[in-house]
Amino acid sequence: MTERAPGPTTPKAQLIAEDVRRRILDREWRQGDRIPDEAELAVTFGAARATVNKALQLLADEGLLERRRRAGTRVAVDPARKATFTIPVVREQIEQQGMAYAYRVFGLSQGFAPEAVAERTGVAADMPLLHLQAVHYGDGTPFQFEDRWLNPRAVPGMEAVDFRQVNANEWLVRNAPYLRADMAFSAESADVRDAQLLEIAAGTALLILHRTTWNDAGLITSVRIACRPGHVIRATP
Amino acid sequence: MTERAPGPTTPKAQLIAEDVRRRILDREWRQGDRIPDEAELAVTFGAARATVNKALQLLADEGLLERRRRAGTRVAVDPARKATFTIPVVREQIEQQGMAYAYRVFGLSQGFAPEAVAERTGVAADMPLLHLQAVHYGDGTPFQFEDRWLNPRAVPGMEAVDFRQVNANEWLVRNAPYLRADMAFSAESADVRDAQLLEIAAGTALLILHRTTWNDAGLITSVRIACRPGHVIRATP
DNA sequence: ACGATAAATATGTTTATACATAAAAGCGCA
DNA sequence: TGCGCTTTTATGTATAAACATATTTATCGT
């Protein structure tokens, strides 16, 4: 390996991946080019084919390489630019910034999902759901307003939980593993209720996050989160 | 989640991963529980330890399991909820919806980055950059307004490109592999310029995407993308 | 009890080998 | 030329074996 190791104990497969990445950045291998096959690279790097395979799979998962059986491995022409971000537990996010966390429920009722929610979640219109509206505060300032629909039948024990006392976000994270999830970002102008609960002027631009999760029993929860003005969500590739 | 249907040609490692996932969803193994070690699971599933290892690594990458040497594998108490999305090439995104794509440059000049951009990108204040403002249209309607700063020295050949003719987004995707990237979402009210170029009322809530890429030569480009009102960005876990 | 040290152990990684499989390349025949 | 078949080949996957490494657990000396 002709390579500066980030650490003395970096796995070989990662070193190989870094070397390949460098060659692509240096334009030794250019977009669309076919790179040497695994057997050749194994000789080049003094490694087993399995190790090279692991390294190349890594880069393919990142979108930097495209691999096809028999056809070989190519540098992606149009690298699918993937970014991942982790959905934080709100309380941790707030406390991490050194602020005091608080949570207040503004509404908790049983009812049926409005059409928009029913469509998004796929629940029947006559399925009784829990409707929860709550605000998360950092140092007394509104941080997020969440408008959530919950399906008490999806998770055993949920019916017994009092979401006035217990933070829904955290209870779900701990107790409701999901099979499928959906997430979307958008922007909306604050309506009257948003404005009131976030203590801002109506019409302010808000970052809106919609998140829905399902398990084998169907819908678990669907939530609309309105972030306080100026909030930024970061992602890393 | 790269889920394939369980079938005859599904790799064994994925079948094992699915089985483990199912056991977690069925609460056979609950949040925080330690699950059997690789050797045991190998016997259970009739596979080699390496295969079980691959399956468990997959689930750990997803955030469903937590693994530590010697300490064993546990079901994550607080599964880091990761979501990934791919940054699309705008033209493809528009054409995929069956709309006619158009691109128009509203400004192209040389200059120095304003403070906000310099701070975000880490370029020196006296580094000459290219400033490009352009709008992407779908069927004649503004789709995105991009306000972009480019570093002509980062990529050989960039100086010769006429970004009045060539779509910057696409040229970069094809010619400028990056080493590091940063991305952020936020919401802003449309200012006068946004409003004019997107042909909307000032003050409308806009979804804003900031994206910066670097390679070993430093900054490649930093762009602020203002999406047309109502635009939704979807992510999948 | 306590702290240092040694043993045990679960995961992490690499290797060699084998076979599976998709797709390109070659070939024969109309 | 074009179609269908066979061969070749690069990647995909699984396996057993071995060693590395981080921790926990056990042990011993004080």
Side-chain angles (χ1 to χ4, degrees), chain A residues 11-13 46-51 68-70:
Chain A
K12 207 165 180 175
R49 184 169 82 85
T51 309
R68 268 165 59 226
R69 270 194 173 136
R70 161 63 187 172

Side-chain angles (χ1 to χ4, degrees), chain B residues 4 11-13 46-51 54 68-70:
Chain B
R4 273 210 266 157
K12 207 164 177 175
R49 184 169 82 88
T51 309
K54 200 170 181 181
R68 269 165 59 226
R69 269 191 175 141
R70 165 62 173 139

Side-chain angles (χ1 to χ4, degrees), chain A residues 212-227:
Chain A
T212 306
T213 56
W214 297 264
N215 65 13
D216 52 347
L219 173 72
I220 302 172
T221 188
S222 183
V223 61
R224 169 189 183 271
I225 293 172
C227 303

